[in-house]
Amino acid sequence: MPTALITGSSGLVGSAAAARFARQGWAVLGVDNDQRQRFFGPAASTLGTRAALEAEFANYRHYDADIRDEAAIGALFAEHAGGVDLVIHAAAQPSHDWAASAPFVDFQVNATATLHLLEMTRRHCPAAVFVYTSTNKVYGDASNALPFVERDTRWELDPAHPYAARGIDESLTVDRSLHSLFGCSKLSADVMVQEYGRYFGLRTACFRCGCITGGNHAGVALHGFLAHLMRCAVNRQPYVVIGYQGKQVRDNIHADDLAAAFEAFYRAPRAGAVYNMGGGRQGSCSVREAVALAERLTGRPMDVSYDDHARKGDHIWWISDVGAFRRDYPEWDYRYDLAAVAESVHAGAVAAQSAR
Ligand SMILES: NC(=O)c1ccc[n+]([C@@H]2O[C@H](COP(=O)([O-])OP(=O)(O)OC[C@H]3O[C@@H](n4cnc5c(N)ncnc54)[C@H](O)[C@@H]3O)[C@@H](O)[C@H]2O)c1
């Protein structure tokens, strides 16, 4: 059976991938030091998810290491030299706002550590497939210049615009826009992942994701919009909608559907691939629409207030066009529509509440 090395294996994306491959009998080496708790506080801890993986899968082995620790990561790769088939790099500092408070930490975690992981892969297991969870923030706020029309519950793209039907594809410029420091560190890593494919011939892919979510998302105000909103709804806590009258649109993909896309790429890899990946139009909702979804699931109104000041560089409307990925991997499809995504996030919020 193949071996996968997964960074951020206790987090939302990493744990979905770890469970997927462990279930199929792969050996899974997970790297995660619960840095998410240090970034965002105890409510963001992913220790429970790590414990669940270790309890369920004898073929899951956890390494409590920091991806910035070059000696520890180098030793891990050396220990498994030639024996890793797939690297999924999902550890990150994931918040725009947090990045501004500690630019060097953000860059070291998101960019420098990615370079080191690529170099370790090239040195110790160059035949491995390398998957990077990138973000639509590599495009900065370029999408905010698109022509929008205001509807009752959401901003919409002018129906005549080429992106309107299927969303934004990879042709959007990554230049001359406001990225946030997080967007910059992720773009640095994204370009490096592409380059290890193009220059060195490694089989690498950047999945530029919209909003990823699922039952294992330890959502907090600074990261994980739908999970945080649902936690507020379930725990009867006030929820603050930040900017754009709550009409900003996000597309939401379940982490399990993303993990399935990673597997499709692993089975027929390319060098230096780049894909926009998200819930697409079918998985899109505005924040107002998400509040309505949460209210339906909990059966009671939420305590919502509105802050008029949008987050710096926040997207007004983002729907990922996943057409490029679908053309290359036609066997892949969504298993979760928006209702199923919301139910999964709701179930996760209820489980987190009873674990408190
Ligand atoms: N969740 C989203 O909406 C979203 C959207 C676009 C892109 N992404 C990207 O997907 C990836 C995974 O995101 P996620 O939502 O699973 O985040 P997450 O915070 O749930 O998971 C990341 C995990 O990495 C761990 N980690 C962070 N820094 C580490 C370090 N220095 N050493 C070891 N472990 C460390 C954390 O403890 C956490 O468990 C990230 O690269 C993120 O930028 C996420």
Side-chain angles (χ1 to χ4, degrees):
M1 272 294 177
T3 297
L5 191 160
I6 302 178
T7 71
S9 56
S10 316
L12 170 73
V13 173
S15 65
R20 180 178 187 89
F21 292 106
R23 209 167 279 129
Q24 294 177 37
W26 289 46
V28 177
L29 315 171
V31 180
D32 201 306
N33 65 347
D34 199 27
Q35 186 69 29
R36 187 174 171 88
Q37 169 160 210
R38 286 186 277 277
F39 289 144
F40 308 128
S45 173
T46 55
L47 280 178
T49 306
R50 167 188 167 176
L53 283 172
E54 287 180 304
E56 188 173 353
F57 302 108
N59 47 340
Y60 174 82
R61 191 160 148 209
H62 194 88
Y63 292 81
D64 188 2
D66 193 306
I67 57 165
R68 289 168 293 179
D69 182 342
E70 295 192 359
I73 298 301
L76 173 60
F77 272 88
E79 182 189 340
H80 298 278
V84 174
D85 303 281
L86 170 63
V87 177
I88 295 177
H89 177 28
Q93 187 303 106
S95 161
H96 315 174
D97 296 336
W98 193 93
S101 69
F104 286 94
V105 175
D106 176 75
F107 198 84
Q108 281 151 3
V109 172
N110 287 353
T112 314
T114 301
L115 172 58
H116 189 240
L117 286 162
L118 285 163
E119 189 51 28
M120 289 302 99
T121 302
R122 184 168 83 94
R123 198 172 298 171
H124 294 293
C125 41
V129 171
F130 191 104
V131 168
Y132 176 59
T133 42
S134 188
T135 165
N136 58 11
K137 285 305 286 184
V138 300
Y139 300 109
D141 65 353
S143 57
N144 285 357
L146 295 170
F148 297 113
V149 285
E150 189 170 358
R151 304 276 191 237
D152 283 351
T153 60
R154 60 159 72 188
W155 291 99
E156 253 312 335
L157 199 49
D158 179 339
H161 194 278
Y163 289 152
R166 283 185 302 277
I168 300 171
D169 67 22
E170 298 80 2
S171 64
L172 189 67
T173 180
V174 298
D175 258 344
R176 288 161 290 160
S177 65
L178 189 140
H179 286 76
S180 80
L181 298 187
F182 162 80
C184 295
S185 61
K186 294 291 284 186
L187 178 58
S188 307
D190 179 303
V191 172
M192 201 59 94
V193 170
Q194 290 184 55
E195 203 57 28
Y196 267 67
R198 289 171 203 277
Y199 194 91
F200 292 122
L202 258 60
R203 280 100 50 89
T204 67
C206 296
F207 286 85
R208 294 177 171 170
C209 300
C211 285
I212 313 163
T213 193
N216 275 350
H217 209 179
V220 286
L222 280 176
H223 183 243
F225 123 81
L226 195 55
H228 173 59
L229 185 150
M230 202 65 84
R231 278 186 172 195
C232 290
V234 166
N235 299 331
R236 300 171 191 256
Q237 286 162 349
Y239 180 77
V240 184
V241 176
I242 302 175
Y244 306 134
Q245 307 155 262
K247 293 187 176 185
Q248 60 271 52
V249 170
R250 302 285 180 263
D251 71 332
N252 305 281
I253 186 168
H254 196 283
D256 290 351
D257 282 342
L258 182 59
F262 293 169
E263 183 173 347
F265 182 79
Y266 165 76
R267 300 211 176 276
R270 296 166 158 76
V274 175
Y275 300 113
N276 284 359
M277 181 50 69
R281 197 162 261 292
Q282 63 103 38
S284 74
C285 64
S286 69
V287 177
R288 277 174 185 253
E289 292 161 0
V291 167
L293 268 173
E295 289 179 338
R296 258 203 306 283
L297 284 161
T298 59
R300 56 173 181 268
M302 284 184 71
D303 174 3
V304 176
S305 61
Y306 289 83
D307 177 344
D308 290 339
H309 303 287
R311 285 191 164 117
K312 222 172 174 173
D314 205 21
H315 289 154
I316 298 170
W317 184 94
W318 186 277
I319 292 181
S320 317
D321 180 352
V322 302
F325 185 74
R326 277 186 186 284
R327 277 190 292 281
D328 285 351
Y329 299 94
E331 72 279 16
W332 175 87
D333 206 352
Y334 298 107
R335 281 185 45 234
Y336 292 81
D337 61 11
L338 182 64
V341 167
E343 275 163 31
S344 167
V345 176
H346 176 254
V350 170
Q353 186 195 43
S354 36
R356 284 196 307 177

